[in-house]
Amino acid sequence: MSHKTLEELHKDAQKVFNELKQNADSLKPKDRIKIPAQEMPAQDPVERATNLEEVALGYTPIQAMVEAMRCIQCKNKPCITGCPVQIDIPRFIDEVAKGDFQAAINVIKENSLLPAICGRVCPQETQCQEVCTLGKSLKDVDKAVAIGRLERFVADWEREQGKIVPPKVKPDTGKKVAIVGSGPAGLVVAADVRREGHAVTIFEAFHKMGGVMVYGIPEFRLPNSIVDTEISTLKAMGVEFKTNFVVGRTRKLTDLMKKDGFDAVFVGTGAGLPMFMGIEGENLVGVFSANEYLTRANLMRAFDREQSDTPIYKSKRVAVLGGGNVAMDSARMAKRLGAEEVFVVYRRTEKEMPARVEEVAHAKEEGIVFHFLNNAKRIIGNEKGRVNAMECLKYELGEPDASGRRRPVVIEGSEFILDVDTVIVAIGNNSNPLIAQTTPEIETNKWGNIVVDDTQKTKADRVFAGGDIVLGAATVILAMGEGRRAAESINKLLAG
Amino acid sequence: MSKIVLKKQLSNDVYLMKLACPLIAEERKAGQFVILQLNNEYGERIPLTIADANEQEGTITIIFQVVGKTTTDLAHMNEGDEITTVVGPLGNPTHIENFGTVVCVGGGIGVAPMHPIAKAFKEAGNHVITIIGARTKDLIILEDEMKEIADELIVCTDDGSYGRKALVTEPLKEICERDPQPNRVIAIGPPIMMKFCSETTRPYKVYTEVSLNTIMVDVTGMCGGCRVNVGDEVKFVCVDGPEFDGHKVDFDNMMARLNSYKDIEQEKHECNLDKQAKAKQSS
Ligand SMILES: Cc1cc2nc3c(=O)[nH]c(=O)nc-3n(C[C@H](O)[C@H](O)[C@H](O)COP(=O)(O)OP(=O)(O)OC[C@H]3O[C@@H](n4cnc5c(N)ncnc54)[C@H](O)[C@@H]3O)c2cc1C
Ligand SMILES: Cc1cc2nc3c(=O)[nH]c(=O)nc-3n(C[C@H](O)[C@H](O)[C@H](O)COP(=O)(O)OP(=O)(O)OC[C@H]3O[C@@H](n4cnc5c(N)ncnc54)[C@H](O)[C@@H]3O)c2cc1C
Ligand code: SF4
Ligand code: SF4
Ligand code: FES
């Protein structure tokens, strides 16, 4: 596949745009369907595999308008139902097509508070774009209107123009709300509750705000500066931040209300607690959870070996276990940190991989090697207790399981050795146990997730929860949706 | 931000500092620790035990040994300076109750975290026997403070330059042979010392608690960098610990893991020393 530069893609778009311009108002669906889908400009794969800069460069304004013209403005608007926060997609896209980007961002902001982020990391192909009529007619979900890219485009446009206006805040009510965790769930609750005039303090265990968006998802997919912009907006609204504060340890959750006078608490502490496979050799030196590897690289900035005090393992050959976004991020990060060969070992086939299609494609372009229908059996160490190799087993697909996916079945005697010095385990997370351990009033289910009712309220008085701590490892947009619902409940509680 | 309100050099490379952290001073219990970071962009997060605290003053005491980059930088800071990040109190507090006779074994810098624990055991009504050990005389810390608390105090050095010439395991073994046996042992110090203390008490079946000092990153149970094998289970020291049954801990694996970055840190350390030397030459 040849790589097209931003300039080339822009030129192509310009040509199409010039042709469409004359009769832009009278385009029929059958004309729109013929408009070529706009490819996302990206950094050259060879170059980017050695830097941390963002891979996807974003549409040019002309590309955005051309892409927006593809939308046929369906009467039944299936895309809206595909979006967990029901953005009025056809309406914002129509504004993009007309070139009124300000109007477009205004439409999005009626429902979503973090469009620059969701536009980048939402699994669009299984949400808004999966049900897009255009994609259906062209029998290819990749040919759906690129809703996420357009959303990203207008959000970036607003930021780059310096046009972000913090939402209006009502006069002070004298009520105080504590938010635990600064991931997407917490940030959204902060904005929505603060708008009503309540004082809001976010408590964050780390020294930086943003949760997984800053310590997990790498810079090359979601630059920290984008998250920082959202934080500054909250700051401008008068939200207070207390970093380096571990609720449950620095202060018990209930003491925030009893001793510090908060009227309600929202818990958005995220997933945490990485799962391991429970196989031999898993605690050898050189075996990391994806969380640890990515936190060292991103948050602690270990990619900058010169400056950072936090070390990161020097690897030549890396195996990543798992098939989700977290696995893709780990593999691509390992490559960027200088690994010569990186293998993703996944026990099903490419079709079943939960990672976003775009991320898998990017990983392949960057030279990541995929071992499908393979799984680790044990990790082998040398005399110093360091990883030397990994023994794998081959699998085949059997009958579908409860999730509807065909279950991988081991092929007896298929053992083989993969020569690696590092293993990164990216098979998921259990829930962060700290709040539950230190707050007996809160009820959790057998996976450690906090149990809430349909207003996001926990079993504890005046305590709400949402995001990964409730859903298990989920997505940014779902965390955001839960945050909005929780904020609504909190606002209702405090108004009464 | 936490101000350094007091700095004292205890021995060649061991320092004591009092930090203004009112909330931590209020909430902390014996056995807990803090995470400290000197620079929010590029700094490393290092765990240090809370050696003491004063709720009225709103201060906590840390005692640390200079071993690498961050502890070196910290030792260069002075009274009045601010530390960017101090997070805590972390970990589960030591399980304190009246067990009867408790032997507290502190090795090297491990005497610092042992101090508040020994104090708490004493206050709970235990007969407290304290063994403190170090390589050599200069490295013995908190002897007077321990003397105040302990019903019996035994000091040993590896080279015999002070107290008894012995490893801490020798007096520990003798105490285990007493009749009646001690009810509980708690050992804090270098991993190798905790390993051998556990081996010493194993045949006598005296429950031995150890406080593990694994590598840590987030300290909220998110990264798994602090994991250790305890019996058949994998435990995260930051949320499940730091104290565990020494008879069940896989010390060899833990020690290997502690050395994960030794080569990188060594290289960097030398590289920094080189730079400093060069800067000196050229100035
Ligand atoms: C590597 C990786 C890649 C991902 N890629 C995608 C993607 O492409 N698209 C997508 O939609 N989703 C992705 N996700 C998932 C997504 O990031 C999460 O679903 C989302 O961030 C959950 O948000 P949250 O607000 O529930 O919690 P989090 O973002 O997990 O934030 C929780 C915050 O709470 C803090 N905290 C925890 N305990 C305490 C405490 N006791 N006191 C104070 N603070 C505390 C934590 O430090 C953290 O900052 C990815 C996740 C990872 C790890
Ligand atoms: C719960 C806990 C409590 C602790 N309490 C104290 C204390 O009260 N006083 C004290 O002096 N130290 C204590 N430590 C150890 C302290 O955290 C390390 O000495 C420190 O992280 C070293 O940082 P550095 O940047 O100076 O050295 P680095 O440059 O990071 O490392 C220098 C050398 O120390 C080793 N090392 C790195 N991290 C650790 C670690 N966590 N434990 C042991 N060795 C390590 C490395 O392998 C390397 O060889 C504690 C550790 C834990 C986990
Ligand atoms: S928020 Fe996500 S799902 Fe909704 S429109 Fe945007 S990209 Fe699609
Ligand atoms: S489904 Fe697709 S084509 Fe139809 S309105 Fe939504 S985005 Fe436009
Ligand atoms: S330090 Fe990260 S899980 Fe314990």
Side-chain angles (χ1 to χ4, degrees), chain A residues 68 70-80 89-91 93 128-129 131-137 144-147 150:
Chain A
R70 298 181 62 227
C71 169
I72 51 181
Q73 297 288 324
C74 317
K75 286 270 151 359
N76 57 344
K77 309 173 187 179
C79 48
I80 301 188
I89 295 166
R91 190 149 63 90
I93 291 186
C128 53
Q129 289 171 203
V131 288
C132 170
T133 315
L134 197 70
K136 293 245 144 105
S137 341
V145 177
I147 302 167
L150 290 172

Side-chain angles (χ1 to χ4, degrees), chain A residues 33-52:
Chain A
I33 243 176
K34 286 192 206 127
I35 302 174
Q38 294 300 298
E39 201 179 303
M40 181 61 126
Q43 266 198 77
D44 179 77
V46 178
E47 217 164 277
R48 74 182 188 232
T50 60
N51 70 37
L52 270 136

Side-chain angles (χ1 to χ4, degrees), chain A residues 87-88 91-92 95 102-111:
Chain A
I87 292 178
D88 191 340
R91 190 149 63 90
F92 105 74
E95 300 294 357
Q102 184 64 55
I105 188 72
N106 292 346
V107 172
I108 294 175
K109 287 201 163 169
E110 289 166 16
N111 293 60

Side-chain angles (χ1 to χ4, degrees), chain A residues 205-208 215 243-246 249-252 255 259-260 271-274 276 282-292 295-296 299-301 304-314 384-386 429 432-434 437, chain B residues 23-24 26-27 32 37 40-45 69-70 73 84-93 215-218 220-225 227-229 234 236 238-240 253 256-257 259-265 267-268 275:
Chain A
F206 269 129
H207 52 290
K208 283 211 182 112
Y215 71 69
T243 47
N244 302 318
F245 196 111
V246 183
R249 296 271 196 230
T250 312
R251 233 353 170 212
K252 295 249 161 20
D255 283 346
K259 292 189 182 167
D260 303 326
L273 211 72
F276 288 90
E282 210 156 31
N283 285 354
L284 288 167
V285 179
V287 185
F288 303 93
S289 75
N291 287 1
E292 179 181 0
T295 301
R296 282 178 183 271
L299 184 76
M300 306 311 293
R301 311 184 130 234
D304 189 343
R305 289 188 202 263
E306 277 290 305
Q307 291 210 61
S308 177
D309 291 342
T310 302
I312 194 145
Y313 210 60
K314 276 195 185 148
K384 285 190 185 141
R386 294 186 171 232
N429 296 294
N432 195 316
L434 201 55
Q437 262 177 24
Chain B
L23 212 49
I24 302 178
E26 183 186 333
E27 298 276 346
Q32 289 188 295
Q37 193 179 354
N40 273 356
E41 274 315 303
Y42 293 102
E44 172 180 33
R45 294 159 69 86
K69 169 80 166 74
T70 308
D73 291 351
T84 343
T85 293
V86 182
V87 194
L90 301 164
N92 296 302
I215 287 175
M216 294 191 181
V217 184
D218 63 298
T220 61
M222 183 273 286
C223 78
R227 67 195 192 275
V228 284
N229 297 319
V234 175
F236 287 11
C238 69
V239 284
D240 300 324
N253 177 255
R257 290 180 57 80
N259 285 331
S260 298
Y261 300 102
K262 202 161 193 156
D263 44 342
I264 302 178
E265 257 144 13
E267 220 172 81
K268 238 179 153 163
K275 265 192 218 149

Side-chain angles (χ1 to χ4, degrees), chain B residues 7 19 49 56 59 66 84 130 145 179 191 201 220 248 254 268 274:
Chain B
K7 177 185 177 186
L19 313 177
T49 309
Q56 281 75 43
T59 60
V66 175
T84 343
T130 304
E145 286 83 350
D179 187 22
T201 58
T220 61
K248 291 191 180 158
M254 177 188 146
K268 238 179 153 163
D274 268 3

Side-chain angles (χ1 to χ4, degrees), chain A residues 155-187:
Chain A
D156 285 357
W157 173 87
E158 184 195 34
R159 191 182 59 257
E160 281 155 17
Q161 306 279 312
K163 290 215 163 147
I164 298 182
V165 189
K168 279 226 173 56
V169 171
K170 292 192 183 153
D172 276 349
T173 58
K175 301 261 168 63
K176 284 176 28 170
V177 176
I179 290 168
V180 189
S182 65
L187 296 184

